[in-house]
Amino acid sequence: MNETIQHLLNHRSIRKFKPHQLDQETIEILVRSAQAASTSSYQQAYAIVGVEEENLKQQLVEVASGQTYVADNSYFFVFCIDYHKHVLAAELASGSVDQTVETTEALIVGAVDAGLAAQNLVVAAESLGYGTVYIGSLRNDAAKVSELLELPSHVVPLFGVAVGIPDQQPGKKPRLPMDAVFHRNTYTDDDTMRQLLSQYEKETSSYYGERTDGRRTEGWVNQMAASMKDPKRTYLRHFLQEKHLSRD
Amino acid sequence: MNETIQHLLNHRSIRKFKPHQLDQETIEILVRSAQAASTSSYQQAYAIVGVEEENLKQQLVEVASGQTYVADNSYFFVFCIDYHKHVLAAELASGSVDQTVETTEALIVGAVDAGLAAQNLVVAAESLGYGTVYIGSLRNDAAKVSELLELPSHVVPLFGVAVGIPDQQPGKKPRLPMDAVFHRNTYTDDDTMRQLLSQYEKETSSYYGERTDGRRTEGWVNQMAASMKDPKRTYLRHFLQEKHLSRD
């Protein structure tokens, strides 16, 4: 196993960083690493906004339900689906891509493109010794994020990535058993899946129990059943449509 | 710049592989690397199907418009959005997550989770000297892929990843100028974006011109205007809804 894979396997999200700012060279290396990822049909259907102004960072903390590490880090990136540049490109070529960019297919392409680019940025940052954390809670109020970062039509913020020097050493939360995620040729039958989930419930229950002196004992199965009971961020479809995406 | 970042920056998609099969240990290292990626709210809302049967691979070649490298590789992975395990988990806990998993939010979470996991797998594979290529054209017929891999309700195939020993050395296609992808604090104004796109049009036009002895000269701007003129895969929203996803 090589160093790159060791870094990947040792990943954990870092939510407390030491005071420090990234220099311009490092920011550019991280962005170039993101850009080097594969992209669907050469579309590069994502944008990255580097949030540098303290005032903006503080307002993003509020969107993210008060998670202070959205501001207290070495750098904060916001990843977006971006078809604005394709709309501009089509205008330059006297054409239109409006119908294409409003499809569910385009939504999927943009979300996956942004994901691949972001993960390359995270891998690059971690290889340099930085810690990282994804901030999905920017979607608590994508309209507010959009307003703060002046995102035009056809651009929608998906998540943030905070980068910084780790000031904590969190444990590594156990992942699902490999067989519950990785299937051979066909998807695993329900009985086997239920057994794997019950096994995982025990494993994650022990994990939490040990770390909370027994105060918390629910494992992944019960955690998911509770946290996913009520739908979240149900305004998103409407918001996407206002941005001229995901209409069809 | 370290070795990991050099690997990231040297990425190019490989579409011709030498005859070779991955051993089990390597397959497991790649899947464990994928699983180590961050995941939204611990959901791990993706599945990976390893396609090993030759018959299945050949049928996936057909779905992918005859791209033979879908079958001719060392291993073929299919990445899916997966909320089936959450539905089973909720049943085990006498609850229901049905309303949550059918939201646009859940669609975005699943697509991003799958993207992060896949990119980790790709980075791990390339660090071991393998070449990779993403296969988005599995979405040409997601229903057929779903049937072949026996994907249950709440599971939708997004893309494939072929891994193998490179048997070609393709050039690296120029990415968008950094300033057209990376914005500081607020999204770049339209005039600047148009200038960047025109500059990129010239750069990519030269790139293609040199590689085709002048037979092909359209750059990225004209390529996008042409390839994104007509919407693609417009059945997807309906298909997702049949799978009980993206209904709201």
Side-chain angles (χ1 to χ4, degrees):
Chain A
M1 202 176 304
N2 60 39
E3 202 178 329
T4 298
I5 292 177
Q6 275 170 4
H7 274 299
L8 296 179
L9 296 179
N10 275 327
H11 165 78
R12 50 213 75 193
S13 297
I14 300 297
R15 294 183 174 83
K16 190 167 191 300
F17 301 107
K18 294 182 180 163
H20 171 263
Q21 297 297 312
L22 283 197
D23 58 38
Q24 291 304 316
E25 194 195 358
T26 305
I27 294 168
E28 290 200 8
I29 286 176
L30 296 185
V31 173
R32 285 207 290 138
S33 297
Q35 286 196 265
S38 286
T39 163
S40 182
S41 304
Y42 206 18
Q43 286 181 22
Q44 308 169 71
Y46 66 94
I48 310 173
V49 183
V51 185
E52 303 181 344
E53 288 173 14
E54 192 53 31
N55 169 46
L56 284 175
K57 280 181 138 184
Q58 288 303 336
Q59 292 192 72
L60 293 179
V61 169
E62 279 176 44
V63 172
S65 315
Q67 297 176 325
T68 52
Y69 40 95
V70 167
D72 299 336
N73 50 50
S74 299
Y75 205 82
F76 192 68
F77 298 95
V78 176
F79 282 79
C80 311
I81 296 178
D82 179 6
Y83 286 107
H84 184 65
K85 52 185 178 277
H86 306 81
V87 170
L88 291 179
E91 282 170 15
L92 287 173
S94 306
S96 166
V97 297
D98 290 2
Q99 272 194 292
T100 295
V101 303
E102 72 184 25
T103 58
T104 299
E105 161 73 6
L107 176 68
I108 289 173
V109 164
V112 171
D113 265 17
L116 305 190
Q119 190 57 18
N120 255 20
L121 184 144
V122 160
V123 169
E126 292 184 351
S127 80
L128 293 170
Y130 294 103
T132 64
V133 62
Y134 281 90
I135 309 289
S137 55
L138 293 188
R139 292 195 305 281
N140 287 344
D141 193 348
K144 180 72 183 173
V145 175
S146 211
E147 185 195 316
L148 289 170
L149 308 183
E150 298 177 21
L151 305 180
S153 180
H154 303 99
V155 181
V156 167
L158 286 180
F159 52 80
V161 175
V163 175
I165 298 174
D167 196 19
Q168 62 174 190
Q169 290 188 301
K172 213 169 120 184
K173 274 199 287 190
R175 294 302 196 234
L176 280 159
M178 187 182 289
D179 291 348
V181 169
F182 182 55
H183 310 263
R184 306 263 185 170
N185 296 304
T186 55
Y187 197 95
T188 306
D189 67 275
D190 282 1
D191 281 346
T192 307
M193 284 297 283
R194 283 191 199 95
Q195 284 168 24
L196 291 163
L197 294 175
S198 297
Q199 168 197 327
Y200 189 46
E201 173 70 8
K202 288 201 192 86
E203 186 187 355
T204 42
S205 172
S206 302
Y207 172 85
Y208 285 121
E210 281 168 22
R211 269 154 195 79
T212 61
D213 275 337
R215 284 189 306 279
R216 174 177 178 177
T217 55
E218 66 172 12
W220 188 86
V221 166
N222 284 292
Q223 189 182 331
M224 290 302 119
S227 66
M228 294 173 70
K229 182 172 171 286
D230 297 313
K232 278 190 199 69
R233 302 167 184 156
T234 50
Y235 75 95
L236 267 174
R237 167 151 298 171
H238 181 69
F239 173 71
L240 286 164
Q241 291 175 344
E242 280 183 348
K243 285 284 197 176
H244 300 274
L245 297 175
S246 195
R247 290 187 166 185
D248 199 17
Chain B
M1 203 177 303
N2 61 38
E3 202 178 329
T4 299
I5 292 178
Q6 276 169 6
H7 274 300
L8 296 179
L9 296 180
N10 276 327
H11 165 78
R12 48 213 77 190
S13 297
I14 300 296
R15 294 183 172 83
K16 191 166 191 298
F17 301 107
K18 294 182 179 162
H20 170 263
Q21 297 297 313
L22 283 196
D23 59 38
Q24 290 305 316
E25 194 195 356
T26 305
I27 294 168
E28 291 199 7
I29 286 176
L30 296 185
V31 173
R32 283 206 291 136
S33 297
Q35 286 196 263
S38 285
T39 163
S40 182
S41 305
Y42 205 19
Q43 286 182 21
Q44 308 168 70
Y46 66 94
I48 310 173
V49 182
V51 186
E52 303 181 345
E53 288 173 13
E54 192 53 31
N55 169 45
L56 284 175
K57 280 181 138 185
Q58 288 302 335
Q59 292 191 73
L60 293 180
V61 169
E62 281 176 43
V63 171
S65 315
Q67 296 175 325
T68 52
Y69 42 93
V70 167
D72 299 338
N73 50 50
S74 297
Y75 206 82
F76 192 69
F77 298 94
V78 177
F79 282 78
C80 311
I81 295 178
D82 179 5
Y83 286 106
H84 184 65
K85 53 185 177 277
H86 306 80
V87 170
L88 291 178
E91 283 171 16
L92 287 173
S94 305
S96 166
V97 296
D98 289 3
Q99 272 193 293
T100 295
V101 303
E102 72 184 25
T103 58
T104 300
E105 161 73 6
L107 176 68
I108 289 173
V109 164
V112 171
D113 265 17
L116 306 190
Q119 189 58 16
N120 255 19
L121 184 143
V122 160
V123 169
E126 292 185 351
S127 80
L128 293 168
Y130 294 103
T132 63
V133 62
Y134 280 89
I135 309 289
S137 55
L138 292 187
R139 292 194 306 280
N140 288 345
D141 192 348
K144 181 73 183 174
V145 175
S146 210
E147 184 195 317
L148 288 170
L149 308 182
E150 299 177 21
L151 305 180
S153 179
H154 303 99
V155 181
V156 167
L158 287 180
F159 52 80
V161 175
V163 175
I165 298 174
D167 196 16
Q168 62 175 189
Q169 290 188 299
K172 213 170 120 183
K173 274 198 287 190
R175 294 299 194 238
L176 279 159
M178 186 181 290
D179 291 346
V181 169
F182 182 54
H183 311 262
R184 306 262 184 169
N185 297 303
T186 55
Y187 198 96
T188 307
D189 66 276
D190 282 2
D191 281 347
T192 308
M193 285 296 283
R194 284 191 199 96
Q195 283 168 24
L196 291 163
L197 294 175
S198 297
Q199 166 197 330
Y200 189 46
E201 173 69 8
K202 289 200 192 88
E203 186 186 356
T204 43
S205 172
S206 301
Y207 172 86
Y208 285 123
E210 281 167 20
R211 269 154 195 81
T212 60
D213 276 339
R215 283 190 307 279
R216 174 178 177 177
T217 56
E218 66 172 14
W220 187 85
V221 166
N222 283 292
Q223 189 183 332
M224 289 302 119
S227 67
M228 294 174 68
K229 180 171 172 286
D230 297 314
K232 279 191 199 67
R233 303 168 185 156
T234 50
Y235 75 95
L236 266 174
R237 168 151 296 174
H238 181 69
F239 173 71
L240 285 165
Q241 291 175 344
E242 280 183 350
K243 285 286 197 174
H244 299 274
L245 297 175
S246 195
R247 289 187 167 185
D248 198 16

